[in-house]
Amino acid sequence: MKNSSEDFKHFITHLRFESVALAVLMIVLTYKSTYSLWWILIGFPFIDICMVGYLFGPKSGALAYNLIHNATIPTLLISIGVLTSNGILSVIGYVWVFHSAFDRILGYGLKHKHSFNETHMGKIIKS
C-alpha cells in the first residue's frame, strides 16, 4: 500500500504531464494563429510582473502570484478573443497559459501565503 508521500508524488507527476499538454496546446494554437511563435518567448517574462507583490510581503506576493498564475483570466481572454475574432486577445491568453503551464512543469505551483517556497505542488527546494 502506498503512503501519502508516494500518493502526493504521483499526483504531482500527473500535474506536470497535464502542464506539458497545456504548454504544447498553447504552442500549437499560437502556431495556427496569424501570430508568430516569438510571441510566446517575448511575452513569457511579462507574466512574472506579479512578483512585485512580494515587495509588500509574502501574503500580498502570494495573492498577486496566484491571481496571475492560474488559468481563469487567460482562459477568459482566449474565449473572448475567439468569440470576437480578436487574435491579439487569444495570443495573450496563449502566452499566459503557456507561462503558467511551464512554471508547473518546473514545479512552481500556486503559492501559500506564508512562504514563496511553499506551493500546492510541494516545497520548492533550492539547489
Side-chain angles (χ1 to χ4, degrees):
M1 187 161 119
K2 290 183 182 181
N3 64 30
S4 62
S5 176
E6 290 174 9
D7 287 341
F8 185 71
K9 287 179 185 177
H10 186 70
F11 173 72
I12 298 307
T13 300
H14 281 282
L15 284 178
R16 285 185 165 167
F17 277 118
E18 178 183 66
S19 296
V20 168
L22 270 173
V24 169
L25 177 62
M26 295 306 109
I27 291 169
V28 168
L29 291 173
T30 303
Y31 177 78
K32 295 297 282 180
S33 76
T34 59
Y35 293 86
S36 167
L37 287 174
W38 284 104
W39 276 78
I40 290 177
L41 292 175
I42 293 166
F44 189 89
F46 289 100
I47 306 304
D48 278 335
I49 192 76
C50 65
M51 299 298 270
V52 298
Y54 280 99
L55 294 174
F56 304 100
K59 189 174 181 180
S60 297
L63 178 66
Y65 185 95
N66 293 343
L67 178 67
I68 299 303
H69 285 82
N70 73 68
T72 306
I73 297 170
T75 301
L76 290 172
L77 282 177
I78 294 167
S79 300
I80 293 167
V82 168
L83 288 172
T84 63
S85 298
N86 185 331
I88 192 68
L89 285 182
S90 296
V91 169
I92 291 169
Y94 301 156
V95 170
W96 198 332
V97 170
F98 177 84
H99 179 103
S100 295
F102 192 80
D103 276 6
R104 298 289 193 297
I105 292 166
L106 296 177
Y108 295 100
L110 299 174
K111 308 300 180 201
H112 291 273
K113 64 182 175 183
H114 56 276
S115 169
F116 178 84
N117 291 331
E118 294 288 332
T119 77
H120 83 288
M121 295 182 70
K123 188 170 183 121
I124 298 170
I125 301 169
K126 295 180 182 179
S127 42

